[in-house]
Amino acid sequence: MRIEKYKVETPKGTLQYNISGNGKPNIVLINGGSGPIEGWMKILPAISESSSVFSYNRFGVAGSDKPKESQDGFNIVNTLREALTSVGFKPPFLLAGHS
Protein backbone atom coordinates (compact mmCIF):
# COMPACT_ATOMS: atom_id res chain seq x y z
CA MET A 1 0.00 0.00 0.00
CA ARG A 2 1.31 3.42 -0.95
CA ILE A 3 0.49 6.27 1.42
CA GLU A 4 -0.68 9.32 -0.48
CA LYS A 5 -0.13 12.39 1.63
CA TYR A 6 -2.16 15.58 1.52
CA LYS A 7 -1.85 18.88 3.35
CA VAL A 8 -4.39 20.73 5.48
CA GLU A 9 -4.09 24.27 6.77
CA THR A 10 -4.86 24.81 10.45
CA PRO A 11 -4.69 28.09 12.38
CA LYS A 12 -1.30 26.92 13.72
CA GLY A 13 0.24 25.71 10.45
CA THR A 14 0.14 23.04 7.77
CA LEU A 15 -0.23 19.35 8.62
CA GLN A 16 0.43 16.38 6.38
CA TYR A 17 -2.25 13.68 6.49
CA ASN A 18 -3.76 10.65 4.80
CA ILE A 19 -7.29 9.28 4.66
CA SER A 20 -7.63 5.72 3.47
CA GLY A 21 -10.44 3.21 3.31
CA ASN A 22 -14.16 3.71 3.26
CA GLY A 23 -16.28 2.33 6.06
CA LYS A 24 -17.16 2.57 9.71
CA PRO A 25 -15.90 3.14 12.30
CA ASN A 26 -13.89 6.25 11.49
CA ILE A 27 -10.48 5.53 12.98
CA VAL A 28 -7.96 8.23 13.94
CA LEU A 29 -4.34 7.10 14.30
CA ILE A 30 -2.30 9.29 16.65
CA ASN A 31 1.48 8.99 16.52
CA GLY A 32 3.60 9.24 19.59
CA GLY A 33 6.89 11.09 19.77
CA SER A 34 8.16 11.99 16.34
CA GLY A 35 6.73 8.98 14.51
CA PRO A 36 5.56 9.56 10.92
CA ILE A 37 2.45 8.19 9.20
CA GLU A 38 4.57 5.33 7.87
CA GLY A 39 4.84 3.98 11.43
CA TRP A 40 1.31 2.60 10.93
CA MET A 41 2.14 0.55 7.80
CA LYS A 42 1.90 -2.78 9.64
CA ILE A 43 -1.80 -2.22 10.36
CA LEU A 44 -2.99 0.54 8.00
CA PRO A 45 -3.69 -1.69 4.96
CA ALA A 46 -5.72 -4.18 7.00
CA ILE A 47 -7.85 -1.68 8.91
CA SER A 48 -8.44 0.39 5.75
CA GLU A 49 -10.23 -2.60 4.22
CA SER A 50 -13.24 -2.14 6.50
CA SER A 51 -12.93 1.36 8.01
CA SER A 52 -12.10 4.96 7.11
CA VAL A 53 -8.73 5.83 8.61
CA PHE A 54 -7.20 9.26 9.26
CA SER A 55 -3.47 9.36 9.99
CA TYR A 56 -1.25 12.41 10.14
CA ASN A 57 2.18 13.81 10.85
CA ARG A 58 2.11 16.02 13.91
CA PHE A 59 3.84 19.39 13.83
CA GLY A 60 7.58 18.93 13.48
CA VAL A 61 7.27 15.51 11.80
CA ALA A 62 8.07 14.82 8.13
CA GLY A 63 6.16 17.22 5.82
CA SER A 64 4.20 19.03 8.55
CA ASP A 65 5.24 22.52 9.66
CA LYS A 66 7.50 23.04 12.65
CA PRO A 67 5.47 23.74 15.80
CA LYS A 68 4.86 27.35 16.78
CA GLU A 69 3.89 26.45 20.35
CA SER A 70 4.58 23.74 22.90
CA GLN A 71 3.36 20.32 21.88
CA ASP A 72 1.57 19.46 25.09
CA GLY A 73 -1.57 17.33 25.16
CA PHE A 74 -3.91 20.33 25.05
CA ASN A 75 -2.34 21.81 21.90
CA ILE A 76 -2.00 18.44 20.16
CA VAL A 77 -5.70 17.64 20.73
CA ASN A 78 -6.85 21.09 19.59
CA THR A 79 -4.76 20.85 16.42
CA LEU A 80 -6.11 17.38 15.70
CA ARG A 81 -9.70 18.63 16.13
CA GLU A 82 -9.03 21.50 13.74
CA ALA A 83 -7.51 19.17 11.14
CA LEU A 84 -10.35 16.62 11.37
CA THR A 85 -12.94 19.37 10.98
CA SER A 86 -11.09 20.94 8.04
CA VAL A 87 -10.89 17.68 6.07
CA GLY A 88 -14.47 16.67 6.92
CA PHE A 89 -13.60 13.52 8.88
CA LYS A 90 -16.67 13.20 11.11
CA PRO A 91 -17.22 11.65 14.55
CA PRO A 92 -17.77 9.30 16.16
CA PHE A 93 -14.11 8.26 16.14
CA LEU A 94 -12.20 5.27 17.33
CA LEU A 95 -8.85 6.66 18.51
CA ALA A 96 -5.71 4.56 18.36
CA GLY A 97 -2.36 5.80 19.60
CA HIS A 98 1.14 4.47 20.04
CA SER A 99 4.30 5.26 21.96
Coordinates of all heavy atoms in Angstrom, one line a residue:
M1 N 0.8 -1.2 0.0 CA 0.0 0.0 0.0 C 0.9 1.2 0.0 O 1.8 1.4 0.8 CB -0.9 0.0 1.2 CG -1.7 1.2 1.4 SD -2.7 1.2 3.0 CE -3.7 2.6 2.7
R2 N 0.6 2.2 -0.9 CA 1.3 3.4 -0.9 C 0.5 4.5 -0.2 O -0.7 4.6 -0.3 CB 1.4 3.9 -2.4 CG 2.2 5.1 -2.6 CD 2.4 5.4 -4.1 NE 3.0 6.7 -4.3 CZ 2.2 7.9 -4.4 NH1 0.9 7.8 -4.3 NH2 2.8 9.0 -4.5
I3 N 1.2 5.2 0.7 CA 0.5 6.3 1.4 C 0.6 7.6 0.6 O 1.6 8.1 0.4 CB 1.1 6.5 2.8 CG1 1.0 5.2 3.6 CG2 0.5 7.6 3.5 CD1 1.6 5.2 5.0
E4 N -0.6 8.0 0.2 CA -0.7 9.3 -0.5 C -0.9 10.4 0.6 O -1.9 10.3 1.4 CB -1.8 9.3 -1.5 CG -1.8 10.5 -2.4 CD -2.6 10.2 -3.7 OE1 -3.0 9.1 -4.0 OE2 -2.9 11.2 -4.3
K5 N 0.0 11.4 0.6 CA -0.1 12.4 1.6 C -0.7 13.7 1.1 O -0.4 14.1 -0.1 CB 1.3 12.7 2.2 CG 1.8 11.4 2.9 CD 3.2 11.7 3.4 CE 3.8 10.4 3.9 NZ 5.3 10.5 4.0
Y6 N -1.5 14.3 1.9 CA -2.2 15.6 1.5 C -1.8 16.6 2.6 O -1.2 16.2 3.6 CB -3.7 15.4 1.5 CG -4.1 14.3 0.6 CD1 -4.4 13.0 1.1 CD2 -4.2 14.5 -0.8 CE1 -4.8 12.0 0.3 CE2 -4.6 13.5 -1.6 CZ -4.9 12.2 -1.1 OH -5.3 11.2 -1.9
K7 N -2.1 17.8 2.4 CA -1.8 18.9 3.4 C -3.1 19.6 3.7 O -4.0 19.8 2.9 CB -0.8 19.8 2.8 CG 0.5 19.1 2.6 CD 1.7 20.1 2.5 CE 3.0 19.3 2.5 NZ 4.1 20.1 2.7
V8 N -3.3 20.0 5.0 CA -4.4 20.7 5.5 C -3.9 21.9 6.3 O -2.9 21.8 7.0 CB -5.4 19.9 6.3 CG1 -4.7 19.3 7.5 CG2 -6.6 20.6 6.7
E9 N -4.5 23.1 6.0 CA -4.1 24.3 6.8 C -4.9 24.3 8.1 O -6.1 24.1 8.1 CB -4.4 25.5 6.0 CG -3.5 25.7 4.7 CD -2.1 25.9 5.0 OE1 -1.7 26.6 6.0 OE2 -1.2 25.4 4.2
T10 N -4.2 24.6 9.2 CA -4.9 24.8 10.4 C -4.4 26.2 10.9 O -3.5 26.8 10.3 CB -4.4 23.8 11.5 OG1 -3.1 24.1 11.9 CG2 -4.5 22.3 11.0
P11 N -5.1 26.8 11.9 CA -4.7 28.1 12.4 C -3.2 28.1 12.9 O -2.6 29.2 12.9 CB -5.7 28.4 13.5 CG -6.9 27.6 13.2 CD -6.4 26.3 12.5
K12 N -2.7 27.0 13.2 CA -1.3 26.9 13.7 C -0.3 26.5 12.7 O 0.9 26.3 13.0 CB -1.3 26.0 14.9 CG -2.2 26.6 16.1 CD -2.3 25.6 17.2 CE -3.3 26.1 18.2 NZ -4.4 25.3 18.4
G13 N -0.7 26.1 11.5 CA 0.2 25.7 10.4 C -0.3 24.6 9.6 O -1.5 24.2 9.7
T14 N 0.5 24.1 8.7 CA 0.1 23.0 7.8 C 0.5 21.7 8.3 O 1.6 21.5 8.7 CB 0.8 23.3 6.4 OG1 0.5 24.6 5.9 CG2 0.4 22.2 5.4
L15 N -0.4 20.8 8.2 CA -0.2 19.4 8.6 C -0.3 18.4 7.4 O -1.2 18.7 6.5 CB -1.3 18.9 9.6 CG -1.2 19.5 11.0 CD1 -2.4 19.0 11.9 CD2 0.1 19.1 11.7
Q16 N 0.5 17.4 7.4 CA 0.4 16.4 6.4 C -0.4 15.3 6.9 O -0.3 14.9 8.1 CB 1.9 15.9 6.1 CG 2.1 15.2 4.8 CD 3.6 14.9 4.7 OE1 4.2 14.5 5.6 NE2 4.1 15.2 3.5
Y17 N -1.3 14.7 6.0 CA -2.2 13.7 6.5 C -2.6 12.7 5.4 O -2.3 12.9 4.2 CB -3.5 14.3 7.0 CG -4.5 14.8 6.0 CD1 -5.5 14.1 5.5 CD2 -4.3 16.1 5.4 CE1 -6.4 14.5 4.5 CE2 -5.1 16.5 4.4 CZ -6.2 15.8 4.0 OH -7.0 16.2 3.0
N18 N -3.3 11.6 5.7 CA -3.8 10.6 4.8 C -5.1 10.2 5.3 O -5.3 10.0 6.5 CB -2.8 9.5 4.7 CG -3.4 8.3 3.9 OD1 -4.0 7.4 4.5 ND2 -3.2 8.3 2.6
I19 N -6.0 10.0 4.4 CA -7.3 9.3 4.7 C -7.4 8.1 3.7 O -7.2 8.3 2.5 CB -8.5 10.2 4.5 CG1 -8.5 11.3 5.5 CG2 -9.8 9.4 4.6 CD1 -9.6 12.3 5.3
S20 N -7.5 6.9 4.3 CA -7.6 5.7 3.5 C -8.8 4.9 3.9 O -9.3 5.0 5.0 CB -6.3 4.9 3.6 OG -6.1 4.6 4.9
G21 N -9.3 4.1 3.0 CA -10.4 3.2 3.3 C -11.8 3.9 3.2 O -11.8 5.1 3.0
N22 N -12.8 3.2 3.4 CA -14.2 3.7 3.3 C -15.1 2.8 4.0 O -15.5 1.8 3.5 CB -14.6 3.8 1.8 CG -15.9 4.5 1.6 OD1 -16.4 5.2 2.5 ND2 -16.5 4.4 0.5
G23 N -15.4 3.1 5.2 CA -16.3 2.3 6.1 C -16.4 2.9 7.5 O -15.9 4.0 7.7
K24 N -17.0 2.2 8.3 CA -17.2 2.6 9.7 C -16.5 1.5 10.6 O -16.6 0.3 10.2 CB -18.6 2.7 10.0 CG -19.3 3.9 9.3 CD -18.8 5.2 9.6 CE -19.5 6.3 8.8 NZ -18.8 7.5 8.9
P25 N -16.0 1.8 11.7 CA -15.9 3.1 12.3 C -14.9 4.0 11.6 O -14.0 3.5 10.9 CB -15.5 2.9 13.7 CG -14.7 1.6 13.7 CD -15.3 0.8 12.5
N26 N -14.9 5.3 11.9 CA -13.9 6.3 11.5 C -12.8 6.2 12.5 O -13.0 6.4 13.7 CB -14.4 7.7 11.4 CG -15.2 7.9 10.2 OD1 -15.2 7.1 9.2 ND2 -16.0 9.0 10.2
I27 N -11.6 5.8 12.1 CA -10.5 5.5 13.0 C -9.5 6.7 12.8 O -9.1 7.1 11.7 CB -9.8 4.2 12.7 CG1 -10.8 3.0 12.9 CG2 -8.5 4.0 13.5 CD1 -10.3 1.7 12.5
V28 N -9.0 7.2 13.9 CA -8.0 8.2 13.9 C -6.7 7.6 14.6 O -6.7 7.2 15.7 CB -8.4 9.5 14.7 CG1 -7.3 10.5 14.8 CG2 -9.7 10.1 14.1
L29 N -5.6 7.6 13.8 CA -4.3 7.1 14.3 C -3.5 8.3 14.8 O -3.2 9.2 14.0 CB -3.6 6.4 13.2 CG -4.4 5.2 12.6 CD1 -3.6 4.6 11.4 CD2 -4.7 4.2 13.6
I30 N -3.1 8.2 16.0 CA -2.3 9.3 16.7 C -0.9 8.8 17.0 O -0.7 7.9 17.8 CB -3.0 9.8 17.9 CG1 -4.4 10.2 17.6 CG2 -2.2 10.9 18.6 CD1 -5.3 10.6 18.8
N31 N 0.1 9.4 16.3 CA 1.5 9.0 16.5 C 2.0 9.5 17.8 O 1.6 10.6 18.3 CB 2.4 9.6 15.4 CG 2.1 9.0 14.1 OD1 1.4 8.0 14.0 ND2 2.5 9.6 13.0
G32 N 2.9 8.8 18.4 CA 3.6 9.2 19.6 C 4.9 9.8 19.2 O 5.4 9.6 18.1
G33 N 5.6 10.6 20.0 CA 6.9 11.1 19.8 C 7.0 11.8 18.4 O 6.2 12.6 18.1
S34 N 8.0 11.4 17.7 CA 8.2 12.0 16.3 C 7.9 11.0 15.2 O 8.5 11.1 14.2 CB 9.6 12.6 16.2 OG 10.5 11.5 16.4
G35 N 7.0 10.0 15.5 CA 6.7 9.0 14.5 C 5.9 9.5 13.3 O 5.0 10.3 13.5
P36 N 6.3 9.1 12.1 CA 5.6 9.6 10.9 C 4.4 8.6 10.6 O 4.2 7.6 11.2 CB 6.6 9.5 9.8 CG 7.5 8.3 10.2 CD 7.5 8.4 11.8
I37 N 3.6 9.0 9.7 CA 2.4 8.2 9.2 C 2.9 6.8 8.9 O 2.2 5.8 9.2 CB 1.8 8.8 7.9 CG1 1.1 10.1 8.3 CG2 0.8 7.9 7.3 CD1 0.6 10.9 7.1
E38 N 4.1 6.6 8.3 CA 4.6 5.3 7.9 C 4.7 4.4 9.0 O 4.8 3.1 8.8 CB 5.9 5.5 7.1 CG 5.8 6.1 5.7 CD 5.6 7.6 5.7 OE1 5.8 8.2 6.8 OE2 5.4 8.1 4.7
G39 N 4.8 4.9 10.3 CA 4.8 4.0 11.4 C 3.6 3.1 11.6 O 3.7 2.1 12.3
W40 N 2.6 3.4 10.9 CA 1.3 2.6 10.9 C 1.2 1.6 9.8 O 0.2 0.9 9.7 CB 0.1 3.5 10.9 CG 0.0 4.4 12.0 CD1 0.3 5.8 12.1 CD2 -0.5 4.1 13.3 NE1 0.1 6.3 13.3 CE2 -0.4 5.3 14.1 CE3 -0.9 2.9 13.9 CZ2 -0.8 5.3 15.5 CZ3 -1.3 2.9 15.2 CH2 -1.2 4.1 16.0
M41 N 2.2 1.4 9.0 CA 2.1 0.6 7.8 C 1.9 -0.9 8.1 O 1.3 -1.6 7.3 CB 3.4 0.7 6.9 CG 3.4 1.9 6.1 SD 1.9 2.1 5.1 CE 1.9 0.7 4.0
K42 N 2.2 -1.4 9.3 CA 1.9 -2.8 9.6 C 0.4 -3.0 9.8 O 0.0 -4.2 9.6 CB 2.6 -3.2 10.9 CG 4.1 -3.3 10.7 CD 4.8 -3.8 12.0 CE 6.3 -3.9 11.8 NZ 7.0 -4.4 12.9
I43 N -0.4 -2.0 10.2 CA -1.8 -2.2 10.4 C -2.7 -1.4 9.4 O -3.8 -1.8 9.2 CB -2.2 -1.9 11.8 CG1 -2.1 -0.5 12.2 CG2 -1.5 -2.8 12.8 CD1 -2.8 0.0 13.4
L44 N -2.2 -0.3 8.8 CA -3.0 0.5 8.0 C -3.7 -0.2 6.8 O -4.9 0.0 6.6 CB -2.2 1.7 7.5 CG -2.9 2.8 6.8 CD1 -4.0 3.4 7.6 CD2 -2.0 3.9 6.4
P45 N -3.0 -1.0 6.1 CA -3.7 -1.7 5.0 C -4.9 -2.6 5.4 O -5.9 -2.5 4.8 CB -2.6 -2.5 4.3 CG -1.3 -1.9 4.7 CD -1.5 -1.3 6.0
A46 N -4.7 -3.3 6.5 CA -5.7 -4.2 7.0 C -6.9 -3.4 7.5 O -8.1 -3.8 7.2 CB -5.2 -5.1 8.1
I47 N -6.7 -2.4 8.3 CA -7.9 -1.7 8.9 C -8.6 -0.8 7.9 O -9.7 -0.5 8.0 CB -7.5 -0.9 10.2 CG1 -6.5 0.2 9.9 CG2 -7.0 -1.8 11.3 CD1 -6.1 1.1 11.1
S48 N -7.8 -0.4 6.8 CA -8.4 0.4 5.8 C -9.4 -0.4 4.9 O -10.2 0.1 4.1 CB -7.4 1.0 4.9 OG -6.6 1.9 5.6
E49 N -9.3 -1.7 5.0 CA -10.2 -2.6 4.2 C -11.7 -2.5 4.7 O -12.6 -2.7 3.9 CB -9.8 -4.1 4.3 CG -8.5 -4.3 3.5 CD -8.1 -5.8 3.6 OE1 -8.8 -6.6 4.1 OE2 -6.9 -6.0 3.2
S50 N -11.9 -2.2 6.0 CA -13.2 -2.1 6.5 C -13.6 -0.8 7.2 O -14.8 -0.6 7.5 CB -13.4 -3.3 7.5 OG -12.5 -3.1 8.6
S51 N -12.7 0.1 7.3 CA -12.9 1.4 8.0 C -12.3 2.5 7.2 O -11.5 2.3 6.4 CB -12.3 1.3 9.4 OG -12.9 0.3 10.2
S52 N -12.8 3.7 7.6 CA -12.1 5.0 7.1 C -11.1 5.3 8.2 O -11.3 5.3 9.3 CB -13.1 6.1 7.0 OG -14.1 5.8 6.0
V53 N -9.8 5.6 7.7 CA -8.7 5.8 8.6 C -8.0 7.2 8.3 O -7.6 7.4 7.2 CB -7.7 4.7 8.5 CG1 -6.6 4.9 9.5 CG2 -8.4 3.3 8.7
F54 N -7.9 8.0 9.3 CA -7.2 9.3 9.3 C -5.9 9.1 10.0 O -5.9 8.7 11.2 CB -8.0 10.4 9.9 CG -7.3 11.7 10.0 CD1 -7.5 12.6 8.9 CD2 -6.5 12.0 11.1 CE1 -6.8 13.9 9.0 CE2 -5.9 13.3 11.1 CZ -6.0 14.2 10.1
S55 N -4.8 9.4 9.3 CA -3.5 9.4 10.0 C -2.8 10.7 9.6 O -3.1 11.2 8.6 CB -2.6 8.1 9.6 OG -2.5 8.1 8.2
Y56 N -1.9 11.1 10.4 CA -1.3 12.4 10.1 C 0.1 12.5 10.8 O 0.5 11.8 11.7 CB -2.2 13.6 10.6 CG -2.2 13.8 12.1 CD1 -1.7 15.0 12.6 CD2 -2.8 12.9 13.0 CE1 -1.7 15.2 14.0 CE2 -2.8 13.1 14.3 CZ -2.3 14.3 14.8 OH -2.4 14.6 16.2
N57 N 0.9 13.5 10.3 CA 2.2 13.8 10.8 C 2.0 15.0 11.7 O 1.6 16.1 11.2 CB 3.2 14.1 9.7 CG 3.6 12.8 9.0 OD1 3.8 11.8 9.6 ND2 3.9 12.9 7.7
R58 N 2.2 14.9 13.0 CA 2.1 16.0 13.9 C 3.1 17.1 13.5 O 4.1 16.9 12.8 CB 2.3 15.5 15.3 CG 1.2 14.7 15.8 CD 1.3 14.1 17.2 NE 2.3 14.8 18.1 CZ 2.8 14.2 19.2 NH1 2.5 13.0 19.5 NH2 3.6 14.9 20.0
F59 N 2.9 18.3 14.1 CA 3.8 19.4 13.8 C 5.3 19.0 14.2 O 5.5 18.3 15.2 CB 3.5 20.6 14.6 CG 2.3 21.4 14.1 CD1 1.2 21.7 15.0 CD2 2.2 21.7 12.8 CE1 0.1 22.4 14.5 CE2 1.0 22.4 12.3 CZ 0.0 22.7 13.1
G60 N 6.2 19.3 13.3 CA 7.6 18.9 13.5 C 8.0 17.6 12.9 O 9.1 17.2 13.0
V61 N 7.0 16.9 12.3 CA 7.3 15.5 11.8 C 7.1 15.5 10.3 O 6.1 16.0 9.8 CB 6.3 14.5 12.4 CG1 6.6 13.1 11.8 CG2 6.5 14.4 13.9
A62 N 8.1 15.0 9.6 CA 8.1 14.8 8.1 C 7.6 16.1 7.4 O 8.2 17.1 7.7 CB 7.2 13.6 7.7
G63 N 6.6 16.1 6.6 CA 6.2 17.2 5.8 C 5.3 18.2 6.5 O 4.8 19.1 5.9
S64 N 5.0 18.1 7.8 CA 4.2 19.0 8.5 C 5.1 20.2 9.0 O 6.3 20.0 9.2 CB 3.5 18.4 9.8 OG 2.5 17.5 9.3
D65 N 4.5 21.4 9.2 CA 5.2 22.5 9.7 C 5.9 22.3 11.0 O 5.4 21.4 11.8 CB 4.3 23.7 9.8 CG 3.9 24.3 8.4 OD1 4.5 23.9 7.4 OD2 3.0 25.2 8.4
K66 N 6.9 23.1 11.3 CA 7.5 23.0 12.7 C 6.5 23.7 13.6 O 5.8 24.6 13.3 CB 8.8 23.8 12.7 CG 9.9 23.1 11.9 CD 11.2 23.8 12.0 CE 12.2 23.0 11.1 NZ 13.5 23.3 11.4
P67 N 6.4 23.2 14.8 CA 5.5 23.7 15.8 C 5.8 25.2 16.2 O 7.0 25.6 16.3 CB 5.6 22.8 17.0 CG 6.9 22.1 16.9 CD 7.2 22.1 15.4
K68 N 4.7 26.0 16.4 CA 4.9 27.4 16.8 C 4.6 27.5 18.3 O 4.8 28.6 18.8 CB 3.9 28.2 16.0 CG 4.1 28.2 14.5 CD 3.1 29.0 13.8 CE 3.3 29.0 12.3 NZ 2.2 29.6 11.5
E69 N 4.2 26.4 18.9 CA 3.9 26.5 20.3 C 4.2 25.1 20.9 O 4.5 24.2 20.2 CB 2.4 26.8 20.6 CG 1.4 25.9 19.9 CD 0.0 26.4 20.0 OE1 -0.2 27.5 20.3 OE2 -0.9 25.6 19.7
S70 N 4.2 25.0 22.2 CA 4.6 23.7 22.9 C 3.6 22.6 22.4 O 2.5 22.9 22.1 CB 4.5 23.9 24.4 OG 3.2 24.1 24.8
Q71 N 4.2 21.4 22.3 CA 3.4 20.3 21.9 C 2.9 19.5 23.1 O 3.2 18.3 23.2 CB 4.2 19.5 20.9 CG 4.4 20.2 19.6 CD 3.1 20.6 18.9 OE1 2.4 19.7 18.3 NE2 2.7 21.9 18.9
D72 N 2.2 20.2 24.0 CA 1.6 19.5 25.1 C 0.2 18.8 24.6 O -0.2 19.1 23.5 CB 1.4 20.4 26.3 CG 0.5 21.6 26.0 OD1 -0.4 21.5 25.1 OD2 0.7 22.7 26.6
G73 N -0.3 18.0 25.5 CA -1.6 17.3 25.2 C -2.7 18.2 24.7 O -3.4 18.0 23.8
F74 N -2.8 19.4 25.4 CA -3.9 20.3 25.1 C -3.8 20.8 23.6 O -4.7 20.8 22.8 CB -3.9 21.5 26.1 CG -5.0 22.5 25.8 CD1 -6.3 22.3 26.2 CD2 -4.6 23.7 25.2 CE1 -7.3 23.2 25.9 CE2 -5.6 24.7 24.9 CZ -6.9 24.4 25.3
N75 N -2.6 21.3 23.2 CA -2.3 21.8 21.9 C -2.4 20.7 20.8 O -2.9 21.0 19.7 CB -1.0 22.5 21.8 CG -1.0 23.8 22.6 OD1 -2.0 24.5 22.7 ND2 0.1 24.2 23.2
I76 N -1.9 19.5 21.1 CA -2.0 18.4 20.2 C -3.5 18.1 19.9 O -3.9 17.9 18.7 CB -1.2 17.2 20.7 CG1 0.3 17.5 20.6 CG2 -1.5 16.0 19.8 CD1 1.1 16.5 21.4
V77 N -4.3 18.0 20.9 CA -5.7 17.6 20.7 C -6.4 18.7 20.0 O -7.2 18.5 19.1 CB -6.4 17.3 22.1 CG1 -7.9 17.3 22.0 CG2 -5.8 16.1 22.7
N78 N -6.2 20.0 20.3 CA -6.8 21.1 19.6 C -6.5 21.1 18.1 O -7.3 21.3 17.3 CB -6.5 22.4 20.2 CG -7.4 22.7 21.5 OD1 -8.4 22.1 21.6 ND2 -6.9 23.5 22.4
T79 N -5.2 20.9 17.8 CA -4.8 20.9 16.4 C -5.4 19.7 15.7 O -5.8 19.8 14.5 CB -3.2 20.8 16.3 OG1 -2.7 21.9 17.0 CG2 -2.7 20.7 14.9
L80 N -5.5 18.5 16.3 CA -6.1 17.4 15.7 C -7.6 17.7 15.4 O -8.1 17.4 14.3 CB -6.0 16.1 16.6 CG -6.6 14.9 16.1 CD1 -6.2 14.5 14.7 CD2 -6.4 13.7 17.1
R81 N -8.3 18.3 16.4 CA -9.7 18.6 16.1 C -9.8 19.6 14.9 O -10.7 19.4 14.1 CB -10.3 19.3 17.4 CG -10.6 18.4 18.5 CD -11.2 19.1 19.6 NE -11.6 18.2 20.7 CZ -11.4 18.4 22.0 NH1 -11.0 19.6 22.4 NH2 -11.8 17.5 22.9
E82 N -9.0 20.6 14.9 CA -9.0 21.5 13.7 C -8.8 20.8 12.4 O -9.5 21.0 11.4 CB -8.0 22.6 13.9 CG -8.3 23.5 15.1 CD -7.1 24.4 15.5 OE1 -6.0 24.2 15.1 OE2 -7.4 25.2 16.4
A83 N -7.8 19.9 12.4 CA -7.5 19.2 11.1 C -8.7 18.3 10.7 O -9.1 18.2 9.6 CB -6.2 18.3 11.3
L84 N -9.2 17.5 11.7 CA -10.3 16.6 11.4 C -11.5 17.4 10.8 O -12.2 17.0 9.9 CB -10.7 15.8 12.6 CG -9.7 14.8 13.1 CD1 -10.1 14.2 14.4 CD2 -9.6 13.6 12.1
T85 N -11.8 18.5 11.4 CA -12.9 19.4 11.0 C -12.7 19.9 9.6 O -13.5 19.8 8.7 CB -13.2 20.5 12.0 OG1 -13.5 20.0 13.2 CG2 -14.3 21.5 11.5
S86 N -11.4 20.4 9.3 CA -11.1 20.9 8.0 C -11.2 19.9 6.9 O -11.6 20.3 5.8 CB -9.7 21.5 8.1 OG -9.6 22.6 8.9
V87 N -10.8 18.7 7.1 CA -10.9 17.7 6.1 C -12.2 17.0 6.0 O -12.4 16.1 5.1 CB -9.7 16.7 6.2 CG1 -8.4 17.4 6.1 CG2 -9.8 15.8 7.4
G88 N -13.1 17.3 6.9 CA -14.5 16.7 6.9 C -14.5 15.2 7.4 O -15.4 14.5 7.1
F89 N -13.6 14.9 8.3 CA -13.6 13.5 8.9 C -14.5 13.6 10.1 O -14.1 14.3 11.1 CB -12.2 13.1 9.2 CG -12.0 11.6 9.3 CD1 -12.0 10.8 8.1 CD2 -11.7 11.0 10.5 CE1 -11.8 9.5 8.2 CE2 -11.5 9.6 10.6 CZ -11.5 8.9 9.4
K90 N -15.6 13.0 10.1 CA -16.7 13.2 11.1 C -16.7 12.1 12.2 O -16.4 11.0 12.0 CB -18.0 13.2 10.4 CG -18.1 14.2 9.3 CD -19.1 15.2 9.5 CE -19.3 16.1 8.3 NZ -18.8 17.4 8.5
P91 N -17.0 12.6 13.5 CA -17.2 11.6 14.6 C -18.5 10.8 14.3 O -19.3 11.2 13.5 CB -17.4 12.6 15.8 CG -17.7 13.9 15.3 CD -17.3 14.0 13.8
P92 N -18.6 9.7 15.1 CA -17.8 9.3 16.2 C -16.5 8.7 15.6 O -16.4 8.1 14.6 CB -18.6 8.3 16.9 CG -19.5 7.7 15.9 CD -19.8 8.8 14.9
F93 N -15.4 8.8 16.5 CA -14.1 8.3 16.1 C -13.7 7.1 17.1 O -14.1 7.1 18.2 CB -13.0 9.4 16.3 CG -13.3 10.6 15.5 CD1 -13.4 11.8 16.1 CD2 -13.4 10.6 14.1 CE1 -13.6 13.0 15.4 CE2 -13.6 11.7 13.4 CZ -13.7 12.9 14.0
L94 N -12.9 6.2 16.5 CA -12.2 5.3 17.3 C -10.7 5.8 17.3 O -10.2 5.9 16.2 CB -12.3 3.9 16.7 CG -11.5 2.8 17.4 CD1 -11.9 2.5 18.8 CD2 -11.5 1.5 16.6
L95 N -10.2 6.1 18.4 CA -8.8 6.7 18.5 C -7.9 5.5 18.8 O -8.1 4.7 19.7 CB -8.7 7.7 19.6 CG -9.7 8.9 19.5 CD1 -9.5 9.9 20.7 CD2 -9.4 9.7 18.2
A96 N -6.8 5.5 18.1 CA -5.7 4.6 18.4 C -4.4 5.3 18.4 O -4.1 6.1 17.5 CB -5.7 3.5 17.3
G97 N -3.6 5.1 19.5 CA -2.4 5.8 19.6 C -1.2 4.8 19.9 O -1.5 3.7 20.2
H98 N 0.0 5.3 19.7 CA 1.1 4.5 20.0 C 2.2 5.3 20.6 O 2.2 6.5 20.5 CB 1.6 3.7 18.9 CG 2.4 4.4 17.8 ND1 3.7 4.9 18.0 CD2 2.1 4.7 16.6 CE1 4.1 5.5 16.9 NE2 3.1 5.4 16.0
S99 N 3.1 4.7 21.4 CA 4.3 5.3 22.0 C 4.2 5.4 23.5 O 3.1 5.2 24.0 CB 4.6 6.6 21.4 OG 5.9 7.0 21.8

